[in-house]
Amino acid sequence: MGSAVENEFKFTTDREINGEAVVRELVSFLKMNNVDYSMKTKHSVDTYYDSEDLALFIMDCMVRLKRSSNGKLKLTAKRPISNGDGMMSREEIERESDGSFEDVCAFSSSVFPGIDLSSEPSLTLECNRTSIAYGDGIDLTFDSCIYIFGEESKKFHEIELECMSDRTDTGFDSIGIRGFIEEHLGFDSVVQSKYRRGVQWARGMHPNVRLDF
């Protein structure tokens, strides 16, 4: 089981957009700045688990099981470290999984002891991701996503600029791509996780839990 610090700038929009055009714009920006890069795509389905009273959500933490199109199953837990200068820093713990709920519970208990997960997922997220790697361990990703909760669903798009490290680090955007994403592409900066925003979207389905903090 590995642990690292995820430093991430996130940008989102609910607008109908041409995802291929957005990726071309991001690549053009890198080329304009003489940045070498590599690119790959994948589809994944993230299943989030929480307790009946959404204890992980309340702590701004999360546990998910990711099923990727390449057949890999991976468990991830995240807990906050800091939010500063528009950046989220979180501890990220990951390991492979057999996909069973029992394995999810064992993993969750090792990170968040005392929290009993409900067997019913708290949220599902389908994602088509284009990942562009450049520089010294920097990932620029474009996600076309769908939140799913019961019979309800919501589409949105997200761009993430991420650097994994052993500490918090806000200075990895040396080429100014954050400004390009906001000013040219029209995405909005956010400092909340996909999980947190997804549960807030679905809060009408949880009438007995206070989610507005």
Side-chain angles (χ1 to χ4, degrees):
M1 186 159 59
S3 174
V5 176
E6 176 192 62
N7 300 304
E8 188 175 50
F9 296 100
K10 301 172 78 70
F11 309 87
T12 190
T13 184
D14 296 333
R15 293 181 290 112
E16 288 288 337
I17 60 175
N18 184 325
E20 292 181 355
V22 171
V23 172
R24 286 196 298 269
E25 293 266 23
L26 293 171
V27 168
S28 293
F29 184 86
L30 295 178
K31 290 179 177 178
M32 184 176 65
N33 285 274
N34 299 311
V35 174
D36 293 329
Y37 66 90
S38 61
M39 188 162 58
K40 60 184 179 181
T41 61
K42 72 174 182 179
H43 174 78
S44 63
V45 177
D46 293 348
T47 305
Y48 293 90
Y49 291 91
D50 211 327
S51 62
E52 291 285 352
D53 59 355
L54 297 180
L56 294 177
F57 169 86
I58 290 169
M59 297 188 300
D60 201 14
C61 300
M62 70 86 167
V63 168
R64 77 177 178 218
L65 173 65
K66 181 183 289 289
R67 300 176 183 269
S68 297
S69 53
N70 59 10
K72 290 184 178 180
L73 296 172
K74 183 169 66 176
L75 287 164
T76 304
K78 296 185 184 183
R79 49 190 168 200
I81 297 174
S82 64
N83 287 346
D85 191 30
M87 186 187 77
M88 299 174 61
S89 289
R90 295 177 289 177
E91 182 185 11
E92 180 177 285
I93 303 101
E94 291 188 329
R95 71 163 170 81
E96 294 181 355
S97 175
D98 65 13
S100 68
F101 178 64
E102 291 74 17
D103 194 38
V104 176
C105 289
F107 173 73
S108 178
S109 294
S110 70
V111 183
F112 304 110
I115 293 179
D116 295 323
L117 298 184
S118 169
S119 59
E120 285 294 320
S122 53
L123 188 72
T124 301
L125 175 74
E126 291 192 17
C127 179
N128 287 304
R129 165 166 285 192
T130 299
S131 180
I132 307 168
Y134 71 93
D136 187 13
I138 300 173
D139 279 321
L140 175 64
T141 60
F142 172 75
D143 295 338
S144 291
C145 303
I146 304 175
Y147 284 134
I148 301 170
F149 184 83
E151 299 298 319
E152 304 293 327
S153 64
K154 177 186 177 181
K155 294 181 180 180
F156 68 101
H157 305 279
E158 188 150 304
I159 296 174
E160 299 177 358
L161 182 66
E162 176 187 292
C163 182
M164 301 298 293
S165 180
D166 58 357
R167 56 184 170 80
T168 60
D169 179 12
T170 62
F172 58 89
D173 181 20
S174 60
I175 59 176
I177 200 165
R178 293 163 56 195
F180 178 78
I181 293 168
E182 289 187 90
E183 296 163 17
H184 183 76
L185 298 180
F187 280 63
D188 298 318
S189 176
V190 292
V191 286
Q192 291 184 321
S193 67
K194 285 187 178 76
Y195 178 59
R196 188 164 187 84
R197 285 179 283 129
V199 172
Q200 289 172 335
W201 160 73
R203 66 185 181 272
M205 311 297 177
H206 301 276
N208 299 319
V209 180
R210 179 172 173 250
L211 305 177
D212 57 345
F213 48 80

